[in-house]
Amino acid sequence: MIKKTMAALSMGLLMQLGVSCHKPIPANLSSVSLIPAPVELNSSGSSLLLDEGTTVYVQNDDLKGLGTLLSEQMASLTGLEFNVELSKNAPSKGIYLAIDAEVNVAEEAYALTINEKVLVLKAANPAGIFRGIQTIDQTIVKHEGETTAWIIPTGSIVDYPQYEYRGVMLDVSRHFFGVEDVKRVIDLAANYKINVLHLHLTDDQGWRIEIKSWPKLTSVGAQTQVGGGEGGFYTQEQFKEIVAYAKERFVTVVPEIDMPGHTNAAVVAYPELNGTKKKAELYTGTKVGFSTLATRKEVTYQFVDDVIRELSAITEGPYIHIGGDESHVTKEDDYVYFINRTKAIVKKYNKTMVGWDEMAHAAIDAADVVQYWAKDKNAVMGVEKGAKVLLSPSKRMYLDMKYDSTTHIGLDWAALIEVDQAYNWDPEKLVEGIDKEDILGLESPLWTETVETMDDIEYLVFPRLIGHAELGWSLPEKRDWESYKKRLAVHGKRLKNKGVDFYQSKLIPWEIE
């Protein structure tokens, strides 16, 4: 027993000596492949060693969850364990997370300083701390020399986003995806500073959210999906679980109820809502534009009110998306009438209305958001009426589009979108008449007509979403295809380690092993 104790003490002493005698390993922070590219980065040429003795300190209890998150992310990458402890002041060594009101350049801004002893991450709010954690995760380097070591290059980073809304959309109506799949999408997107998840919850093929005052929406309308199959839906408790999970990662959930078109599942459940003369039946195809709500019947607005009321109660974010696209069998006057009445209902429940760009034909104003996907003139019309624009140009940002003609899933009606096509454009110059101040942000939609599994999601989303994330976060002068493709190549190994089934574009010199 005494021999074992002495051996343990000797080992501990050797470890202490090893740390104290550690000669800092030269490293260049500027050569780390950060995505999105930060606003300002300075390298000081040395490194901070990470080992079993490295502790993550947090300024207060409110940051303890974020400290634990950083510890877990670093452990997943390095295999080391990192304790999390409280400390009101910055320690002499280790990693320190702190709130500092002076770091207030913009929402989600953070400042990172690293020397040979301590890494300090400061932000004006927890959201900034979370974004900074994603940067720390990317700065960790495995040094291969006489000995293998995990290090973080020294220097400083000051960073903040160009657009406040940086989103990804998942269509769970054409094919349904469960809670755990949605959580994985949140995690993978948040790694690249995406801060919004838009869930397309309803369409002709299925209604995916429980509305207690209209129970047949799910008991009847959720029964199927594209190609058949049992479909599915989220209970309100499950939806709240998704919202809470996203909130912990500083991601806002935007629920979409597509109206007045794309409503076949709803009118099958409740025929009194049907605005066509044809009897509606459950639909498993992929055509669009054949359904509409009865826009001149009062029962329709009781329905809309109940749906928005229940959805608003379980949605913490400020936005409710009302769809509004491809309502081809709705007469224009009826369409405008419907959007105007629906706008009032959304406002009644203290939410901001978002809709696809066709919505600009209605009486929208500065309180609304127009999501540009197809027609320049609609987006410009929205801006002229005072609305903000959310950019989702189908030729650049639709993640369901094939990469090339050989891609085994996806569509091609808008374009073939290779990785360079997804990245090489400027949001501020996309549409004449829409300037930066008119743009709320960017969102990458994934429609799921051909998407059936989590692997399918990952293959179409990655790596294109990573490029979109940089477009939404980084300064224009920091965005360059030649630089980006080299940085993205390094992220191939990161994606592989996370088990992501990403598209290995031949345009990228991937570092997989």
Side-chain angles (χ1 to χ4, degrees):
M1 183 69 174
I2 292 175
K3 288 183 179 179
K4 288 183 179 179
T5 303
M6 291 298 293
L9 288 172
S10 297
M11 183 60 71
L13 180 60
L14 285 171
M15 289 178 67
Q16 291 176 16
L17 288 172
V19 172
S20 62
C21 295
H22 164 66
K23 185 178 180 180
I25 298 168
N28 184 1
L29 186 60
S30 299
S31 68
V32 175
S33 297
L34 297 178
I35 305 176
V39 171
E40 180 182 323
L41 182 150
N42 296 290
S43 177
S44 55
S46 191
S47 65
L48 168 69
L49 175 69
L50 298 176
D51 57 28
E52 294 285 2
T54 304
T55 298
V56 176
Y57 296 92
V58 295
Q59 184 184 51
N60 53 48
D61 283 324
D62 291 341
L63 294 179
K64 203 156 190 180
L66 286 169
T68 300
L69 181 68
L70 173 59
S71 173
E72 290 173 349
Q73 286 188 208
M74 293 195 303
S76 176
L77 178 62
T78 65
L80 302 171
E81 293 186 9
F82 304 92
N83 291 329
V84 179
E85 297 182 12
L86 286 170
S87 177
K88 289 185 178 179
N89 300 307
S92 58
K93 62 180 181 178
I95 295 173
Y96 187 54
L97 311 183
I99 296 297
D100 185 342
E102 293 185 5
V103 185
N104 60 0
V105 177
E107 184 72 19
E108 304 176 275
Y110 65 91
L112 187 61
T113 57
I114 311 128
N115 62 37
E116 295 172 356
K117 296 292 185 182
V118 64
L119 178 155
V120 177
L121 170 61
K122 291 184 177 181
N125 53 52
I129 296 291
F130 181 83
R131 306 299 172 218
I133 284 173
Q134 308 318 308
T135 297
I136 293 172
D137 189 52
Q138 293 186 22
T139 60
I140 299 172
V141 176
K142 188 176 185 179
H143 173 74
E144 306 275 8
E146 292 182 10
T147 59
T148 298
W150 291 99
I151 62 172
I152 297 178
T154 58
S156 63
I157 294 174
V158 174
D159 205 10
Y160 51 87
Q162 296 306 295
Y163 295 102
E164 66 178 87
Y165 187 122
R166 304 173 309 281
V168 61
M169 188 211 82
L170 178 62
D171 169 14
V172 296
S173 184
R174 271 49 178 270
H175 281 99
F176 180 68
F177 293 90
V179 172
E180 293 309 310
D181 284 340
V182 175
K183 287 180 178 179
R184 180 161 171 79
V185 171
I186 291 168
D187 282 333
L188 293 174
N191 286 159
Y192 292 96
K193 300 184 174 69
I194 294 295
N195 67 349
V196 176
L197 172 68
H198 168 184
L199 286 175
H200 183 79
L201 292 167
T202 69
D203 216 298
D204 293 315
Q205 297 85 354
W207 185 283
R208 308 302 183 198
I209 181 68
E210 175 189 26
I211 301 297
K212 294 181 179 180
S213 55
W214 297 73
K216 290 182 182 179
L217 289 171
T218 48
S219 65
V220 175
Q223 288 183 26
T224 191
Q225 57 188 6
V226 167
E230 63 183 16
F233 67 94
Y234 308 117
T235 66
Q236 291 195 6
E237 288 304 311
Q238 287 174 321
F239 185 80
K240 286 191 284 187
E241 180 183 344
I242 291 170
V243 169
Y245 189 86
K247 184 179 180 181
E248 290 175 354
R249 287 145 185 82
F250 298 89
V251 171
T252 299
V253 174
V254 177
E256 179 185 353
I257 305 297
D258 206 347
M259 305 178 285
H262 289 279
T263 46
N264 185 75
V267 302
V268 169
Y270 291 97
E272 62 269 34
L273 300 174
N274 195 348
T276 72
K277 296 180 180 179
K278 297 179 181 179
K279 180 183 178 182
E281 297 180 351
L282 290 175
Y283 183 64
T284 61
T286 59
K287 291 182 179 180
V288 301
F290 61 87
S291 60
T292 183
L293 296 175
T295 60
R296 298 289 177 168
K297 292 171 68 172
E298 284 306 307
V299 65
T300 295
Y301 299 99
Q302 184 58 57
F303 164 77
V304 172
D305 193 287
D306 287 338
V307 170
I308 299 300
R309 171 179 55 80
E310 291 193 32
L311 200 54
S312 296
I314 58 175
T315 300
E316 293 193 22
Y319 303 108
I320 295 289
H321 202 302
I322 58 91
D325 64 318
E326 298 176 320
S327 197
H328 300 322
V329 296
T330 315
K331 294 179 181 179
E332 185 171 356
D333 288 348
D334 292 340
Y335 175 86
V336 169
Y337 177 79
F338 176 85
I339 298 297
N340 290 343
R341 288 198 61 174
T342 299
K343 170 185 168 71
I345 293 169
V346 173
K347 184 176 181 181
K348 172 183 173 182
Y349 293 105
N350 300 311
K351 297 294 185 182
T352 296
M353 182 176 72
V354 186
W356 300 102
D357 61 48
E358 293 94 322
M359 187 184 77
H361 291 270
I364 62 170
D365 55 36
D368 307 311
V369 178
V370 171
Q371 187 164 3
Y372 166 67
W373 71 281
K375 293 186 178 181
D376 293 8
K377 65 180 182 180
N378 286 344
V380 173
M381 187 190 307
V383 167
E384 290 173 347
K385 292 181 178 182
K388 287 284 188 180
V389 172
L390 179 59
L391 296 180
S392 296
S394 56
K395 288 178 170 34
R396 298 283 188 170
M397 297 193 74
Y398 267 35
L399 298 174
D400 55 308
M401 293 298 111
K402 293 181 177 183
Y403 292 97
D404 60 30
S405 61
T406 69
T407 306
H408 66 283
I409 53 174
L411 304 172
D412 59 9
W413 60 263
L416 297 175
I417 306 178
E418 246 291 0
V419 177
D420 58 343
Q421 178 86 356
Y423 180 83
N424 269 329
W425 59 285
D426 188 342
E428 298 172 36
K429 299 177 182 178
L430 180 66
V431 178
E432 186 176 352
I434 298 179
D435 300 320
K436 184 177 180 181
E437 59 268 24
D438 303 316
I439 301 170
L440 177 65
L442 289 72
E443 183 178 279
S444 311
L446 178 66
W447 305 100
T448 60
E449 286 93 337
T450 69
V451 178
E452 300 182 33
T453 68
M454 190 66 214
D455 281 348
D456 290 345
I457 290 175
E458 293 170 4
Y459 185 80
L460 290 174
V461 170
F462 293 99
R464 290 183 290 197
L465 180 65
I466 301 174
H468 294 160
E470 179 151 299
L471 289 176
W473 181 279
S474 302
L475 290 165
E477 56 267 32
K478 298 290 184 178
R479 304 194 305 259
D480 171 74
W481 169 248
E482 292 302 317
S483 164
Y484 173 72
K485 73 178 183 181
K486 293 174 184 176
R487 287 181 286 123
L488 181 59
V490 177
H491 283 248
K493 188 173 182 179
R494 296 179 62 85
L495 293 170
K496 184 178 178 182
N497 289 342
K498 292 177 184 292
V500 179
D501 182 25
F502 66 99
Y503 167 66
Q504 295 181 29
S505 170
K506 293 179 181 179
L507 301 176
I508 309 300
W510 297 105
E511 297 179 18
I512 305 298
E513 301 301 329

